[in-house]
Amino acid sequence: MELSQLRIFQAVAEEGSIAKAAVRMSRVPSNLSTRLRQLEESLGVELFLRERQRLQLSAAGKVLQSYAERLFALQAEAEAALKGGEPAGDFTIGSMYSTAAIHLPAMLACYHRAYPAVNLQVQTQPSGELVEGLIGGRLDAALIDGPMEYAELDGLPLFEEELVLITAAGHGPVASAADVAGESVYTFRPRCSYRRRLEAWFAASRVAMGQIMEIESYHSMLACVVAGGGVALVPSSMLASLPGRESVDAHALAAPFDRTTTWLMWRKGMLGANLRAWIELQQGRLQAP
């Protein structure tokens, strides 16, 4: 089993298609098919389930994917160590959607200017999935609503966010969840930490949430509140960036639901040169006047 074969396997797993993986790797599909078949033959297992036009990871493929990601992380760390501890190689950071939209662009630009040799990649997911990515080795670090108590992870706080509840314009005061009882709730998937905060807000008032409508972006969430009423929990910095924000009312929440802290988290024992440089740059940038 060669690292080059694992790179092909990883690309096909992420793209779900040999043709798409070939475009991504600037290679011909037949070459990828051959190398993938050779890998499966050498391991004696099928790594993918062929379903119509898409390839799905088999049980064995999911196991190999976890190990492959950890191997690539170790490879990047080894390369950085051999280059005198200078940041280099791949560095994958995960982020919540709102953080990626508001805070991450400046962070990425700062890091890229300082360390252009690093291949910086970003994945946006709900907090629960980001934690899985860290523990499984798919991510080197992640910006998460924290702190989260995991024996496998370390972290540090970076900045605070104010959370507000948005309703259709002219809704009237919202002092507690009782004031929006029965209304539709627009939110992300169950593993989103902000969704869990919203559920806790309703539970604190002993009010059942209305119909839950899962949305994949804050832009769509805002549009749904404007068009059909209902409520959503949004970071105030994210709301300030959205076109159409003047068409909703933002309601301040009472503590402890009004504020949250975004943490940078990583696997214990994996504070390599790339991550150390990220921490130093971002702490310096956030502390600057």
Side-chain angles (χ1 to χ4, degrees):
M1 183 169 57
E2 303 172 1
L3 281 177
S4 59
Q5 290 176 314
L6 289 178
R7 291 285 184 195
I8 292 171
F9 162 75
Q10 184 186 49
V12 174
E14 291 176 352
E15 298 293 341
S17 161
I18 288 177
K20 291 180 180 178
V23 171
R24 169 173 153 181
M25 301 184 74
S26 300
R27 301 171 73 167
V28 296
S30 59
N31 177 262
L32 268 63
S33 296
T34 300
R35 298 296 301 280
L36 197 57
R37 186 173 62 254
Q38 291 172 345
L39 177 61
E40 289 181 316
E41 290 174 352
S42 69
L43 296 173
V45 296
E46 287 191 354
L47 300 173
F48 292 94
L49 303 175
R50 277 73 176 175
E51 298 179 355
R52 298 182 181 179
Q53 301 299 314
R54 185 169 179 82
L55 298 180
Q56 299 285 349
L57 282 171
S58 66
K62 291 177 181 178
V63 172
L64 181 60
Q65 185 183 42
S66 176
Y67 280 102
E69 288 163 346
R70 288 155 64 184
L71 283 170
F72 295 141
L74 286 172
Q75 180 190 26
E77 187 174 351
E79 290 174 352
L82 292 172
K83 292 177 180 177
E86 284 297 313
D90 294 334
F91 180 53
T92 304
I93 187 163
S95 174
M96 299 180 295
Y97 300 112
S98 57
T99 305
I102 303 301
H103 302 285
L104 199 55
M107 294 179 173
L108 295 174
C110 177
Y111 192 87
H112 181 68
R113 283 195 301 269
Y115 304 105
V118 176
N119 178 25
L120 193 57
Q121 302 176 45
V122 177
Q123 295 182 17
T124 54
Q125 296 171 323
S127 288
E129 294 174 23
L130 293 173
V131 169
E132 281 188 355
L134 287 174
I135 295 174
R138 295 188 298 277
L139 300 172
D140 298 305
L143 295 163
I144 298 174
D145 176 25
M148 291 192 173
E149 300 297 332
Y150 287 88
E152 304 94 330
L153 302 180
D154 275 331
L156 58 88
L158 285 185
F159 50 83
E160 282 196 344
E161 288 277 15
E162 178 190 20
L163 300 176
V164 296
L165 190 82
I166 59 172
T167 65
H171 179 282
V174 177
S176 72
D179 295 319
V180 293
E183 297 187 34
S184 297
V185 177
Y186 300 100
T187 185
F188 289 109
R189 299 192 295 274
R191 307 206 63 188
C192 172
S193 62
Y194 290 172
R195 173 168 172 168
R196 291 197 296 269
R197 288 180 180 274
L198 188 56
E199 291 169 347
W201 181 69
F202 274 91
S205 296
R206 298 183 179 180
V207 174
M209 293 178 70
Q211 183 180 11
I212 297 174
M213 310 291 287
E214 292 186 1
I215 304 293
E216 288 301 316
S217 76
Y218 283 107
H219 292 80
S220 299
M221 203 176 288
L222 178 68
C224 288
V225 172
V226 171
V231 303
L233 186 67
V234 182
S236 58
S237 60
M238 185 72 216
L239 179 62
S241 74
L242 295 175
R245 59 188 177 278
E246 66 281 351
S247 299
V248 299
D249 287 343
H251 305 268
L253 301 177
F257 306 105
D258 59 334
R259 305 197 72 81
T260 178
T261 302
T262 298
W263 282 60
L264 177 69
M265 305 195 76
W266 62 89
R267 284 169 293 159
K268 284 185 177 178
M270 298 299 288
L271 186 58
N274 291 344
L275 178 55
R276 189 176 293 108
W278 176 276
I279 292 172
E280 291 173 355
L281 276 178
Q282 304 314 329
Q283 286 185 324
R285 191 181 66 83
L286 292 170
Q287 291 170 3

